[in-house]
Amino acid sequence: MTDPVVESMAEVRNHLADVIDRARREEIPTIITRRGKQEAVVIDIQEYQRLRRIAEDAEEAWLNGLADEAESEGMEGSVSLEEMAARLRGPQD
């Protein structure tokens, strides 16, 4: 991936269509700054979707790892979902 272009919000506002075209056609992201602070990034939609899939796959793998770990520890000390919900609600006055 090419290094991103860094532009202020005002600059991007003046040529947003060019920023989008650059992301889509040239695969060059644009980091948008406001008052010198990085605020957002414009990337191609396909790149965004690819990154989302990677994040979702990583989250699923992490959750599966937690489930496998819990399963390997057995049922001792476990509670049902209903019991956990009741404990979280606490005593009802």
Side-chain angles (χ1 to χ4, degrees):
M1 179 180 273
T2 306
D3 287 337
V5 172
V6 178
E7 294 185 355
S8 71
M9 182 82 73
E11 291 169 324
V12 170
R13 198 177 294 128
N14 289 331
H15 66 104
L16 181 58
D18 295 333
V19 170
I20 293 169
D21 287 343
R22 182 171 53 217
R24 189 170 47 96
R25 291 187 186 139
E26 300 172 38
E27 299 180 356
I28 299 173
T30 299
I31 296 173
I32 302 171
T33 63
R34 183 171 22 197
R35 297 185 187 111
K37 182 181 173 195
Q38 294 182 350
E39 294 283 336
V41 63
V42 176
I43 60 174
D44 177 65
I45 189 67
Q46 291 176 338
E47 178 66 3
Y48 169 77
Q49 291 167 339
R50 185 185 75 80
L51 293 171
R52 284 291 303 256
R53 278 192 304 275
I54 290 170
E56 288 168 0
D57 290 348
E59 181 179 31
E60 185 175 337
W62 177 73
L63 291 173
N64 285 337
L66 288 178
D68 291 344
E69 183 180 320
E71 188 176 306
S72 71
E73 291 176 3
M75 298 297 288
E76 187 177 325
S78 65
V79 296
S80 70
L81 185 57
E82 292 79 15
E83 289 174 295
M84 181 57 70
R87 289 182 184 186
L88 291 172
R89 282 193 291 272
Q92 304 266 329
D93 294 337

